């Protein structure tokens, strides 16, 4: 399968945690103190938990939307795991890792508003891509030139998905995977991450 020419941005753990802290600081500086955090699964789980810790928010829920795979969309976002609690008269913060097209955040915003009926909703992400139709209330980095962002909590999934576009995962060694990602995607990832990605695939599929 022919690889798409895509630009990537790899975010290591240390940087990701720093971004989450900076996001929480932006919210505090704006004097917005949410009663509840709602996160968009799965990418928003870790940022939401770190932000909740900094803001001392003890009430947290998630909704699941389906639309994105690695680098490509699989269709318009749909809520597949809805909110199942009332948020009446509460201030809500919806947290995700990124807004790309912005459609997922808009669907999440509308869903939380209609189902939860909160007093107020604001949105927060680590990265705001300027092509997004949704401009979040809070973001740490504005991404002017589109890139696929590889977060540390999904790096193995991204590696496996990219390699699957190039062939059967069973055919790759660590060295050939490193070479393929570099040549086909101009992507350099830590050797250890590739080793872990292939190891987990083999354990899962050959046990």
């Amino acid at each position: 399968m022919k690889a798409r020419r895509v630009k990537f941005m790899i975010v290591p753990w240390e940087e990701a945690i720093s971004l989450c802290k900076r996001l929480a600081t932006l919210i505090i500086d704006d004097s917005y103190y949410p009663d509840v955090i709602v996160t968009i699964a799965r990418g928003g789980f870790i940022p939401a938990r770190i932000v909740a810790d900094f803001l001392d928010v003890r009430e947290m829920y998630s909704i699941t939307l389906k639309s994105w795979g690695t680098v490509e969309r699989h269709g318009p976002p749909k809520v597949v795991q809805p909110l199942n609690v009332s948020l009446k008269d509460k201030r809500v913060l919806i947290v995700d890792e990124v807004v790309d097209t912005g459609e997922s955040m808009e669907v999440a915003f509308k869903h939380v508003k209609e189902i939860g009926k909160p007093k107020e909703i604001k949105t927060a992400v680590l990265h705001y891509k300027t092509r997004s139709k949704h401009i979040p209330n809070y973001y740490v980095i504005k991404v002017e030139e589109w890139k696929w962002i590889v977060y540390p909590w999904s790096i193995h999934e991204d590696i496996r998905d990219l390699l699957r576009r190039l062939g059967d995962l069973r055919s790759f060694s660590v060295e050939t995977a490193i070479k393929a990602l570099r040549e086909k995607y101009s992507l350099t990832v830590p050797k250890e991450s590739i080793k872990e990605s292939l190891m987990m695939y083999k354990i899962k599929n050959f046990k």
Side-chain angles (χ1 to χ4, degrees):
M1 183 181 293
K2 188 176 180 181
R4 283 181 58 192
R5 282 296 172 186
V6 176
K7 292 189 176 181
F8 293 87
M9 175 194 302
I10 297 179
V11 181
W13 274 111
E14 187 175 349
E15 182 183 346
I17 293 170
S18 175
L19 290 173
C20 293
K21 292 178 180 179
R22 287 166 62 189
L23 182 60
T25 300
L26 290 172
I27 297 162
I28 292 168
D29 288 347
D30 190 43
S31 298
Y32 187 63
Y33 302 107
D35 304 298
V36 178
I37 286 179
V38 175
T39 185
I40 301 174
R42 295 169 292 155
F45 279 138
I46 293 173
R49 183 62 185 92
I50 295 173
V51 169
D53 186 43
F54 269 81
L55 300 182
D56 194 26
V57 176
R58 306 298 177 96
E59 195 174 350
M60 192 167 135
Y61 305 102
S62 70
I63 60 174
T64 302
L65 274 65
K66 258 202 172 151
S67 67
W68 279 97
T70 300
V71 178
E72 66 183 1
R73 287 188 57 197
H74 293 158
K78 296 189 302 183
V79 177
V80 294
Q81 180 185 316
L83 188 70
N84 58 6
V85 295
S86 171
L87 303 176
K88 186 173 173 58
D89 297 328
K90 294 184 178 181
R91 292 182 299 274
V92 174
L93 182 70
I94 302 178
V95 178
D96 202 1
E97 55 191 4
V98 62
V99 285
D100 193 301
T101 63
E103 292 181 0
S104 292
M105 185 62 85
E106 291 207 334
V107 169
F109 188 99
K110 181 180 179 184
H111 178 75
V112 171
K113 183 178 180 180
E114 292 178 351
I115 302 300
K117 303 190 185 320
K119 176 165 63 175
E120 185 176 9
I121 306 174
K122 291 193 176 184
T123 59
V125 298
L126 305 181
H127 293 92
Y128 158 52
K129 297 182 183 180
T130 54
R131 75 171 188 166
S132 170
K133 64 197 300 186
H134 178 91
I135 301 175
N137 298 99
Y138 309 103
Y139 60 88
V140 183
I141 294 179
K142 181 187 287 189
V143 182
E144 303 275 1
E145 182 184 9
W146 192 90
K147 302 176 182 71
W148 182 260
I149 303 172
V150 180
Y151 293 98
W153 43 81
S154 55
I155 188 169
H156 298 101
E157 181 177 308
D158 284 348
I159 288 171
R160 286 189 290 262
D161 284 353
L162 290 171
L163 289 174
R164 282 190 181 100
R165 295 162 183 258
L166 304 176
D168 189 328
L169 279 179
R170 292 171 294 184
S171 68
F172 289 100
S173 66
V174 173
E175 290 70 26
T176 58
I178 290 172
K179 182 179 179 183
L181 291 173
R182 188 183 299 124
E183 290 182 352
K184 300 298 183 180
Y185 298 105
S186 300
L187 176 62
T188 301
V189 298
K191 183 176 182 178
E192 191 63 22
S193 295
I194 293 179
K195 183 178 179 181
E196 291 165 350
S197 300
L198 295 177
M199 177 187 69
M200 290 308 300
Y201 172 78
K202 289 173 182 177
I203 290 173
K204 182 179 178 181
N205 289 275
F206 294 102
K207 62 184 178 181

